[in-house]
Amino acid sequence: DAPNETVIEEKVLNAGVSWEHIFTGLDKYEANGTPIKYTVKEKDIPQGYKSEVTGSMEDGFTITNTNIEKTEVKVLKEWEGDVGNPVVVQLKKANDPTIIAEKELNAGGNWEGKFTDLPKYEADGSRVNYEVVEKNVPPGYEVSYDKDQTGKFIIKNTQKKINVKVEKKWENITGNKPTIKLQLLKNGQAEGAPVEITNGTTNYTWSGLKQTDAQGQEYTYTVKEVDENSNYIQLEGNQYKVT
């Protein structure tokens, strides 16, 4: 309390009285004839609020309580497929492109992060609706967003998948065709076990293959006939040219 400040009167304000009150019957002058300067202030400021007094004795005072409670926003990064490099996530308000803060999520932090000391309410008293988005989705991945029951944001990167199809043709060969084996290669290395192509089968598809590595580099898939050497292969005692 300021020096020479004397409490003249107290009044409880609530919704039942429209949050207004007029102090009446007040002395206008001190005993020495000096005009008395009256002010108002809130006695017990509610927890989580700040109180601001505006106006004047002549025009009336307004006491504004502003909620200054703080909150935090948690985020978790999940990977479906190969785990990629650290990513940057951005905190925004819903439907507002303004970036409030950025944070890197990485393996060292268990792919978790937290934005703290955030205003819980807007100036109009409504709850702030925060959202977290990934700044740059890694190449070869698709992003999806969700929340768990605690309100934690879940950002999932799912590795894109592709299919590789092979067609087998026989030229100038009649009757039953020999059984062959085909090997799928990824960047020149065998990917999985060979598959058999029997008589009458002309197509085979490898499905659900990773399109890129964890760094976003696309894999190169090729198909090779097992035991083929320099474009020739021996099958059931006969030699065939392979193209």
Side-chain angles (χ1 to χ4, degrees):
D1 293 341
N4 302 321
E5 190 176 80
T6 303
V7 177
I8 304 298
E9 187 178 341
E10 291 183 353
K11 181 67 178 180
V12 175
L13 301 185
N14 54 52
V17 294
S18 300
W19 299 104
E20 293 182 359
H21 179 68
I22 299 175
F23 294 98
T24 59
L26 303 173
D27 293 334
K28 189 172 183 179
Y29 297 99
E30 301 281 5
N32 61 5
T34 304
I36 298 174
K37 184 179 180 181
Y38 291 100
T39 58
V40 296
K41 73 174 185 179
E42 194 164 1
K43 181 180 180 181
D44 298 308
I45 301 172
Q47 185 175 0
Y49 288 83
K50 70 174 182 179
S51 181
E52 181 182 11
V53 180
T54 56
S56 65
M57 186 175 68
E58 293 75 19
D59 299 328
F61 294 100
T62 298
I63 301 176
T64 302
N65 282 11
T66 302
N67 191 298
I68 55 173
E69 287 183 83
K70 300 294 184 179
T71 188
E72 62 183 22
V73 172
K74 297 179 180 180
V75 57
L76 171 67
K77 179 69 179 176
E78 293 183 346
W79 297 91
E80 188 170 311
D82 293 330
V83 176
N85 295 323
V87 298
V88 174
V89 295
Q90 298 175 324
L91 178 70
K92 302 178 180 181
K93 293 181 181 179
N95 303 315
D96 187 340
T98 304
I99 300 169
I100 299 171
E102 291 185 341
K103 187 172 291 292
E104 182 184 278
L105 304 183
N106 52 52
N110 294 321
W111 298 103
E112 293 186 277
K114 182 167 61 176
F115 298 94
T116 59
D117 199 33
L118 302 171
K120 191 173 183 178
Y121 295 95
E122 300 281 8
D124 62 3
S126 61
R127 188 76 177 261
V128 180
N129 187 14
Y130 291 104
E131 64 178 23
V132 181
V133 298
E134 191 164 10
K135 184 177 182 179
N136 295 306
V137 179
Y141 290 82
E142 295 176 337
V143 67
S144 61
Y145 298 96
D146 200 0
K147 272 186 179 182
D148 66 12
Q149 293 180 344
T150 68
K152 179 191 296 183
F153 286 89
I154 309 295
I155 301 178
K156 179 185 285 188
N157 279 5
T158 301
Q159 202 164 15
K160 293 179 181 178
K161 301 295 180 68
I162 60 172
N163 298 334
V164 173
K165 182 177 180 179
V166 63
E167 181 180 4
K168 179 61 182 176
K169 290 184 177 181
W170 298 90
E171 292 186 358
N172 302 322
I173 301 170
T174 59
N176 290 337
K177 313 299 189 296
T179 295
I180 63 170
K181 291 184 178 181
L182 300 180
Q183 176 64 58
L184 178 69
L185 305 174
K186 181 172 72 178
N187 291 351
Q189 300 297 315
E191 179 73 4
V195 296
E196 282 193 347
I197 302 295
T198 58
N199 179 55
T201 302
T202 58
N203 295 284
Y204 185 84
T205 300
W206 288 271
S207 58
L209 301 173
K210 296 173 182 177
Q211 183 178 7
T212 68
D213 61 19
Q215 284 68 48
Q217 297 296 317
E218 285 202 13
Y219 290 120
T220 299
Y221 289 99
T222 54
V223 180
K224 182 179 177 66
E225 198 163 344
V226 176
D227 296 328
E228 175 265 319
N229 187 22
S230 299
N231 299 112
Y232 286 91
I233 190 171
Q234 197 81 9
L235 297 170
E236 299 179 358
N238 297 315
Q239 190 177 50
Y240 297 84
K241 184 177 181 180
V242 181
T243 58

